[in-house]
Amino acid sequence: MVPIRLLAVGAVGALLMLPLLIGCQRRPATFKATADPGEIIYFVPVREKVIALTFDDGPNEPATGQILDALKHYRVKATFFLVGANVEYFPETARRIKAEGHLIGSHTARHSRFDQSPAADIARDIADGCRIIETVTGTRPRWLRPPYGINPNMAEAAQAQGLAIAGWSADANDWNPHPVSEIVNRMVAQAIPGDILLLHDGRETEHGANRNATVAAVPQILEKLIAKGFRFVTIPELLQAAGRPIAEFEGGLRLLGLQIPQESITPGEGFWARYFWDVPAGWRNGMPPYAFVHWTTAEGAIQFQDDHEIPRRGDVRDLVTKHLVIVPPATQPGRYQARLGLFDPKQPDIRHRVRLRSSYPQRQGAVIIPDVLDVQGAQKP
Ligand SMILES: [Zn+2]
């Protein structure tokens, strides 16, 4: 498209467009399409409307079989993180998962408490899980979903076994008892392209654990998200669809994604914004990154803001930051856009911003997020 425009506008026009072309080169690097052993993937900025559905704690009958039936009906491929002890108890189900084209990852052999166990026990549980899954299914897993979330203490053992680490970006808290509608609504409301959704088809090493609510929720989640245009893929396929992050800041800190509500908001109300950050270890000598998020009119006037500190790598639940943003009661109806940047932690003066690269327009050292927030004037009944 650019060369055609260049021909049409002539030499002077081409000179005027030079800054634009240079601007194009300042795009962030594409997200890697594969994961190295020990690397944590919890959300992927994607080029298509793809999403990954993952199940932990299986195989567990009859729940796993019923979920496999639903996945087959909707022609959906998922990722199952199996517990070795359960694989030994339900080997036919483990083989069925593989035979039906789903990806099998490891959820360790015994589902031990990674948050409380010594490193040697963690390493053994990871190694045993890989060995059991390979013996029963004939395929060695390449992905680990650590029990009890991401802890830095298991990265080395995962790497030694050649396992990339699968986090998640959205869950339905279905390890606790919840009504089916609540599980469905939580999953569907959160889902955006690139999400890794977490559900449970078992409960740790329990055989025959009751997962009726999740089993009933799965077909509804699939139905609703397929109707919204989502395509379900396994985690490695999600990486194959990787695109560019929204912004890449100096030092490699990235904003992978941002979710704001699609429906309109009334002044005085709050809304949840979900930010997907990736902060490299030791970024700027461990200084806490601090984001400023200004919600502005099309003309750039700031109406309200959501400034916040960005969590550094720890538990996976901290990687997705979720903020309740209050739209002040006096906000005029209209369409607002988020202008997002990082304060430079080395500079006490808040006017200093960390340099960034983005495919989107920038203003005053911040990226203008393309999604629009619609603020309505009328009070909702
Ligand atoms: Zn688990």
Side-chain angles (χ1 to χ4, degrees), residues 56-57 83 107 111 145-148 200 204:
D56 282 12
D57 292 15
V83 176
H107 197 39
H111 205 282
R145 163 80 44 80
Y148 302 97
H200 290 76
E204 306 193 351

Side-chain angles (χ1 to χ4, degrees), residues 94-95 98 104 130-141:
R95 286 192 277 267
K98 184 188 167 187
I104 292 178
C130 289
R131 183 178 45 75
I132 295 168
I133 290 170
E134 186 171 12
T135 304
V136 173
T137 68
T139 304
R140 191 173 173 78

Side-chain angles (χ1 to χ4, degrees), residues 249 255 258 275 291-307 336-342 353 356 361-371:
F249 296 86
L255 177 65
L258 168 62
Y275 300 85
F292 60 91
V293 188
H294 295 157
W295 292 86
T296 72
T297 61
E299 294 77 36
I302 299 169
Q303 298 297 302
F304 49 97
Q305 55 198 81
D306 173 31
D307 298 355
Y336 295 92
Q337 271 180 296
R339 200 162 74 202
L340 178 149
L342 289 189
R353 276 115 198 239
L356 71 94
Q362 294 174 38
R363 188 167 167 168
Q364 294 168 345
V367 55
I368 300 169
I369 309 287
D371 294 359

Side-chain angles (χ1 to χ4, degrees), residues 154-380:
M154 51 77 210
E156 212 172 295
Q159 195 169 7
Q161 294 294 327
L163 298 164
I165 299 161
W168 65 91
S169 51
D171 66 64
N173 197 9
D174 74 332
W175 52 89
N176 291 319
H178 286 293
V180 176
S181 60
E182 207 175 306
I183 296 174
V184 173
N185 293 341
R186 274 183 196 231
M187 287 278 87
V188 173
Q190 290 181 87
I192 62 168
D195 258 324
I196 298 176
L197 309 180
L198 166 62
L199 288 169
H200 290 76
D201 57 332
R203 187 181 298 115
E204 306 193 351
T205 52
E206 202 181 316
H207 305 312
N210 179 343
R211 281 297 179 208
N212 293 343
T214 302
V215 166
V218 166
Q220 296 183 45
I221 293 167
L222 297 177
E223 184 101 36
K224 285 174 194 279
L225 292 181
I226 290 168
K228 283 183 163 196
F230 281 98
R231 187 164 64 82
F232 287 87
V233 294
T234 63
I235 292 180
E237 289 167 345
L238 195 65
L239 283 168
Q240 291 295 322
R244 294 174 201 281
I246 291 178
E248 183 178 320
F249 296 86
E250 218 167 56
L253 191 156
R254 297 180 293 181
L255 177 65
L256 304 180
L258 168 62
Q259 182 184 28
I260 62 166
Q262 306 271 296
E263 65 277 11
S264 59
I265 300 293
T266 306
E269 273 188 337
F271 66 87
W272 288 100
R274 285 200 304 155
Y275 300 85
F276 304 91
W277 294 104
D278 177 40
V279 184
W283 186 78
R284 300 226 159 173
N285 303 319
M287 301 283 275
Y290 205 88
F292 60 91
V293 188
H294 295 157
W295 292 86
T296 72
T297 61
E299 294 77 36
I302 299 169
Q303 298 297 302
F304 49 97
Q305 55 198 81
D306 173 31
D307 298 355
H308 59 271
E309 195 176 313
I310 304 168
R312 283 156 290 174
R313 282 217 183 284
D315 191 285
V316 71
R317 277 161 283 209
D318 299 333
L319 298 175
V320 185
T321 61
K322 199 173 164 188
H323 293 264
L324 184 64
V325 186
I326 304 294
V327 179
T331 305
Q332 289 299 308
R335 291 151 71 81
Y336 295 92
Q337 271 180 296
R339 200 162 74 202
L340 178 149
L342 289 189
F343 292 125
D344 190 337
K346 284 188 297 194
Q347 301 276 1
D349 182 342
I350 60 160
R351 284 172 304 177
H352 284 93
R353 276 115 198 239
V354 179
R355 284 161 59 100
L356 71 94
R357 303 197 290 177
S358 178
S359 309
Y360 301 115
Q362 294 174 38
R363 188 167 167 168
Q364 294 168 345
V367 55
I368 300 169
I369 309 287
D371 294 359
V372 171
L373 181 75
D374 184 29
V375 177
Q376 294 279 329
Q379 287 293 323
K380 282 178 182 166

